[in-house]
Amino acid sequence: MTNDIESCLTKEEIEKKRTPKELELWVEKILEFTKNDKNKKPALLHRGLFKPFYEEVRPLSLFVNKIYPSSSDIRCIPSIDNKDFDAIIRDYTISPPHELKVEFTYAIDGHREHLRMKYFREHGEVNLLESVSYTGNKRTGHSIEVPDEMVDHNDSLQKTFSLIKAATENKSKIRNPKRYGKKTHVLVVVFDDRTWFNACNKVELEEFIKKEVLILDLNFKTVYILGEERETFLSFELSV
């Protein structure tokens, strides 16, 4: 593997077929590059190919290493083109190989999280839970405020639950009537569980998903809920 980000983070490298372990090692290599001052800003702001890397490829690595740990008979094939899937997982333990299409969605307010990272770049620290407020726009420049105050745990919990529901709803038949498939696709909803999530919250999250999310008209075989920091992983099979 080459030792510069321009050679490693390319469309060809992103979409290369890898085993779960190979993908994990490649993702770790890219993450090492983001510690370099040159790459910190585009990485934090998800610019260029850092966007599909963080929003599709890194979650794919977390996901496949959850469901296929240490398997050398699985191949992961990310796709960053505008298709009806973000990745294909091919299982060579079956003949002919079984193919699963994976769609990722992020439970995040993308614009405000982008501004949060801009604030972090400017100030060197940022409250990860407090709401972001701003004035101005991209043309005139933003004046960003992120209060450094304590945030009510339950408020953070409910906000995250709402983001998970909104992200899932955006992938429902109402929004995408002709995409995906009950026999061919799975949906992975990725959320931030870094700073507040614990075992009790996992139980609350599971109940919320059953009551508020699984009632949506979803054209997927399975819905997975994946925490970014590997602590949370839930699976819900949907009826055909």
Side-chain angles (χ1 to χ4, degrees), residues 55 59 62 104-108 164 188-192 224-228:
E55 298 178 13
L62 297 177
F104 290 96
T105 186
Y106 245 82
I108 192 172
I164 289 173
V188 182
V189 185
V190 187
F191 78 104
D192 184 355
Y224 296 94
I225 309 297
L226 175 67
E228 284 186 295

Side-chain angles (χ1 to χ4, degrees), residues 213-232:
V213 175
L214 299 186
I215 62 172
L216 299 171
D217 195 1
L218 300 170
N219 197 20
F220 295 94
K221 178 181 178 182
T222 313
V223 173
Y224 296 94
I225 309 297
L226 175 67
E228 284 186 295
E229 297 306 310
R230 310 183 188 211
E231 295 301 320
T232 310

Side-chain angles (χ1 to χ4, degrees), residues 152-166 196-197 201 204-205 208 212:
D152 182 80
H153 179 79
N154 190 61
D155 288 347
S156 293
L157 201 65
Q158 296 308 314
K159 179 181 177 182
T160 300
F161 287 0
S162 295
L163 288 170
I164 289 173
K165 182 177 180 179
W196 56 268
F197 209 69
N201 299 145
E204 293 179 68
L205 173 60
F208 176 83
E212 300 289 338

